[in-house]
Amino acid sequence: MAEQLKDLADDRALLGRTSTAERVSDILRSRIAEGYFPPGTRLSEDSIGGALGVSRNTLREAFRLLTHERLLVHELNRGVFVRVLTVEDVEDIYRTRRLVECAVVRGLGEPPYGLDGLAGAVAEGREAAREGDWKAVGTANIHFHRELVALAASERTAELMRSVFAELRLAFHVVDEPQRLHEPYIARNVAILEALQGGDRNKAESLLAGYLDDSLERVVEVYRRRVGEEG
């Protein structure tokens, strides 16, 4: 936890002079999505409030917002914890992803598309793989899908999916087989990018749908086993 708090203190500058619970929740959501706080982690009000330099009331409101987003859970007389997802949660996350991401690609209109962000995420994933940093590959993969959603140019859609991707990262933590989980999708990200670069959104949507179906099957298979072992 000490290392996470040190990194969190670096985020303090993001708050500026007008610290708000929404901005604190944005920081914590990003940190959860990046894997700094794994599922089951107890979040200390004193430690996190001190690292960010915010009041207890502000932090509690941020916790409340993230609890509403299903990222945190409040346990009576124990405190606030990063949520541990159920198998049903994981299935619902992927159901939402398929509905939204495929619809984004389907609705792109005529090419060319603005794909710099998507290409950057592909490059990020490839570099992380070369370095053998599979956790970073997972982060790059989430960045890829976030950039894919950004192609819709819809702040509401982006906001919805920010929480979904943060929840997804919680599932990845429980699976805890980062190379096996993420490596196959580096090439599949490239294939989707190339289809969009070629202006073929129908092919890109088909590739994406298959990608998400295969990922769901793999994640649920391992997740069910891990949750069973822990139970």
Side-chain angles (χ1 to χ4, degrees), residues 80-93:
V80 175
F81 295 79
V82 179
R83 190 159 173 254
V84 178
L85 304 182
T86 65
V87 171
E88 290 73 22
D89 289 327
V90 176
E91 291 172 337
D92 194 37
I93 287 167

Side-chain angles (χ1 to χ4, degrees), residues 88-152:
E88 290 73 22
D89 289 327
V90 176
E91 291 172 337
D92 194 37
I93 287 167
Y94 272 88
R95 188 179 302 115
T96 303
R97 292 185 67 195
R98 204 179 195 283
L99 284 169
V100 174
E101 294 186 48
C102 289
V104 167
V105 173
R106 191 181 317 124
L108 282 177
E110 295 303 314
Y113 312 120
L115 302 174
D116 289 349
L118 212 60
V122 165
E124 178 188 349
R126 284 172 154 174
E127 178 61 26
R130 281 193 292 270
E131 295 176 358
D133 188 344
W134 298 105
K135 179 180 174 182
V137 172
T139 298
N141 190 41
I142 289 177
H143 289 169
F144 177 86
H145 290 276
R146 188 177 65 195
E147 293 294 340
L148 189 71
V149 169
L151 295 176

Side-chain angles (χ1 to χ4, degrees), residues 7 20 22 27 31 34 40 54 64 70 85 87 98 118 122 124 128 133 136 141 144 181 187 212:
D7 290 333
T20 66
E22 288 81 5
I27 288 171
R31 289 298 185 175
E34 291 166 6
V54 298
R64 188 192 67 79
R70 298 176 298 277
L85 304 182
V87 171
R98 204 179 195 283
L118 212 60
V122 165
E124 178 188 349
D133 188 344
N141 190 41
F144 177 86
L181 179 64
L212 292 174

